[in-house]
């Protein structure tokens, strides 16, 4: 990951017992060389001993080894600790916030969107659901429906504890409670592929030196966590021809619920918008970030799509149909759909694209 780019902040939500802490520990244990900043309200919920605490690195901040940092905060401290984690000295790649006990997920989303630190950006909300206790949880916590409506990605955890018919019933119910197109990822013991949320980096310094991280990796090999990729399909698309911004945004708007993540760079070539556009989608969360091309870098589009049960050849055909033969003839307004998802500096009379996206996603909440 490029540390000069804003650090994505992913909200991990879910009620007590759903397994969100198990998901978080799984991400920590299978992050490769990625440096993760973790924000929680209780150190006791994170297996710090298992992550080899290296010592204090600041007030209420603990090193989890290998570059991971953990903060214990309440809602009023969130901005301050995001600022600390985003400090260049920590070289954090991604920040994961465990929402429970801090604030309502919707409020946390608003706080992140309103955060004025250009070094961080909102990266989507993941809601963890207990398949075995789904009905009981909704009964105890009526706000469950509201949380699901705000989610960009839902992890249906503990699917090993329900039969196929019950799982299908819950998935059907989730489809009615979540926003249209929200992906639902099935998991047991919190095992999801970290690549669904961020790009794990390979170990380059400690691998092979009998480090604690090596032991974690070996343990992962034995508990089948290393086979998480087998549950997902990865598809690559490359085009040296520019893409039509309107057709590409239409493709994104219609992406199937089984398409969990899209990442890469897009070349539109529209006059005034010749830079490359980084695209980042987690579930239904979508963001573009314009970046300059490197010196001598070829103008092209490179995308990776990660999902399950999707029609790979069909997706490729749809992307190929997005190619544009004469981008230089397109009017500036053809980029409006893309620019809706580009973060803008805070302005008193204007709303950022991310604020608009979040406001839109929250407008349907009860």
């Amino acid at each position: 990951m490029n540390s000069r780019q804003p650090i994505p902040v992913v909200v991990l939500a879910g009620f007590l017992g759903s397994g969100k802490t198990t998901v978080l520990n799984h991400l920590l244990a299978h992050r490769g060389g990625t440096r993760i900043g973790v924000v929680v309200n209780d150190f006791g919920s994170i297996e710090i001993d298992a992550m080899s605490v290296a010592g204090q690195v600041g007030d209420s901040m603990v090193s989890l080894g290998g570059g991971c940092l953990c903060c214990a905060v309440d809602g009023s401290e969130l901005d301050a600790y995001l600022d600390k984690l985003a400090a260049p000295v920590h070289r954090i790649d991604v920040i994961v916030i465990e929402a429970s006990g801090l604030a309502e997920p919707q409020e946390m989303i608003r706080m992140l969107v309103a955060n004025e630190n250009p070094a961080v950006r909102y990266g989507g909300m993941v809601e963890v659901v207990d398949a075995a206790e789904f009905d009981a949880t909704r009964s105890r916590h009526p706000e469950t429906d509201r949380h699901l409506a705000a989610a960009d990605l839902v992890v249906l955890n503990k699917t090993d504890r329900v039969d196929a018919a019950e799982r299908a019933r819950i998935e059907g119910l989730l489809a009615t409670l979540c926003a249209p197109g929200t992906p639902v990822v099935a998991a047991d013991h919190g095992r999801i592929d970290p690549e669904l949320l961020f790009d794990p980096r390979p170990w380059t310094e400690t691998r092979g030196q009998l480090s604690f991280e090596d032991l974690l990796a070996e343990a992962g090999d034995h508990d089948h966590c290393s086979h998480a990729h087998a549950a997902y399909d990865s598809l690559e698309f490359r085009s040296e021809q520019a893409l039509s911004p309107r057709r590409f945004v239409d493709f994104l708007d219609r992406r199937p619920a089984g398409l969990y993540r899209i990442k890469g760079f897009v070349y539109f070539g529209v006059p005034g918008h010749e830079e490359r556009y980084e695209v980042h989608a987690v579930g239904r969360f979508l963001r573009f970030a314009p970046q300059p091309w490197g010196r001598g870098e070829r103008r092209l589009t490179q995308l990776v799509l990660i999902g399950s049960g999707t029609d790979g050849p069909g997706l490729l055909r749809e992307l190929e149909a997005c190619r544009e033969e004469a981008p230089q003839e397109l009017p500036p307004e053809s980029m409006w759909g893309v620019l809706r998802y580009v973060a803008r500096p805070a302005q008193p009379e204007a709303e950022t694209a991310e604020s608009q996206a979040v406001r839109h996603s929250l407008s349907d909440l009860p």
Side-chain angles (χ1 to χ4, degrees):
M1 292 184 181
N2 189 342
S3 60
R4 293 174 296 180
Q5 297 299 320
I7 301 170
V9 182
V10 178
V11 176
L12 185 64
F15 289 101
L16 183 65
S18 65
K20 67 180 180 302
T21 301
T22 304
V23 171
L24 181 54
N25 283 317
H26 174 78
L27 294 175
L28 287 169
H30 298 86
R31 61 184 172 78
T34 303
R35 299 175 70 90
I36 302 178
V38 180
V39 179
V40 298
N41 63 322
D42 180 8
F43 280 137
S45 65
I46 303 298
E47 298 171 6
I48 290 181
D49 289 340
M51 293 303 297
S52 180
V53 176
Q56 299 293 328
V57 294
D59 294 341
S60 297
M61 294 181 68
V62 171
S63 172
L64 299 181
C68 288
L69 297 177
C70 187
C71 299
V73 306
D74 61 32
S76 64
E77 298 172 325
L78 181 59
D79 284 350
Y81 277 97
L82 288 178
D83 291 345
K84 285 189 177 184
L85 286 172
V89 65
H90 299 312
R91 295 183 291 132
I92 293 296
D93 295 310
V94 61
I95 297 173
V96 180
I97 298 178
E98 183 180 344
S100 178
L102 292 177
E104 282 283 314
Q106 296 93 330
E107 181 59 29
M108 184 162 294
I109 293 171
R110 294 186 181 99
M111 292 172 65
L112 291 172
V113 170
N115 188 290
E116 297 181 353
N117 187 343
V120 297
R121 62 173 173 81
Y122 174 57
M125 173 186 157
V126 179
E127 180 79 9
V128 183
V129 173
D130 182 344
E133 299 291 335
F134 183 63
D135 292 333
T137 300
R138 289 186 71 205
S139 178
R140 289 193 306 267
H141 303 284
E143 62 272 30
T144 297
D145 293 2
R146 186 172 68 251
H147 295 184
L148 287 168
D152 296 298
L153 180 71
V154 174
V155 175
L156 181 58
N157 196 30
K158 305 185 184 181
T159 53
D160 57 312
R161 295 179 54 190
V162 298
D163 59 28
E166 176 65 1
R167 173 176 164 180
R169 182 189 71 84
I170 295 172
E171 289 176 337
L173 190 52
L174 288 173
T176 67
L177 297 173
C178 299
T182 302
V184 176
V185 180
D188 62 85
H189 300 89
R191 296 167 180 163
I192 65 170
D193 192 334
E195 196 170 358
L196 297 181
L197 304 181
F198 56 84
D199 296 331
R201 297 194 305 182
W203 281 298
T204 56
E205 298 178 359
T206 63
R207 204 73 166 122
Q209 298 178 13
L210 298 181
S211 70
F212 203 86
E213 293 176 355
D214 292 325
L215 297 179
L216 284 172
E218 290 181 8
D221 290 339
H222 291 296
D223 67 11
H224 303 290
C225 290
S226 61
H227 301 299
H229 284 281
Y232 310 110
D233 303 315
S234 181
L235 188 68
E236 296 184 6
F237 174 77
R238 176 187 174 101
S239 174
E240 296 186 1
Q241 190 172 337
L243 300 191
S244 161
R246 286 175 172 164
R247 291 197 292 274
F248 185 62
V249 169
D250 182 59
F251 165 80
L252 294 174
D253 287 342
R254 294 182 292 101
R255 62 190 186 274
L259 189 53
Y260 304 141
R261 189 173 181 214
I262 302 173
K263 59 182 180 177
F265 300 93
V266 185
Y267 173 52
F268 295 114
V270 177
H273 303 278
E274 290 90 353
E275 61 267 61
R276 70 177 188 176
Y277 281 77
E278 179 187 18
V279 59
H280 170 75
V282 174
R284 66 190 181 104
F285 174 78
L286 175 64
R287 182 180 184 272
F288 284 99
Q291 301 173 358
W293 296 96
R295 180 176 298 179
E297 187 175 2
R298 298 176 64 183
R299 274 54 172 165
L300 50 79
T301 293
Q302 291 179 293
L303 297 172
V304 176
L305 297 82
I306 303 171
S308 177
T310 56
D311 178 7
L315 290 174
L316 286 178
R317 286 193 297 270
E318 290 188 56
L319 286 170
E320 289 166 357
C322 292
R323 289 192 171 105
E324 175 59 51
E325 294 183 358
Q328 69 279 1
E329 298 178 6
L330 294 178
E333 55 265 30
S334 65
M335 287 292 295
W336 287 355
V338 172
L339 298 179
R340 282 192 304 131
Y341 299 101
V342 173
R344 299 295 184 187
Q347 298 176 5
E349 300 299 328
E351 190 177 28
T352 68
E354 285 184 337
S355 296
Q356 291 175 343
V358 172
R359 175 173 54 78
H360 177 72
S361 67
L362 297 181
S363 63
D364 296 330
L365 299 181

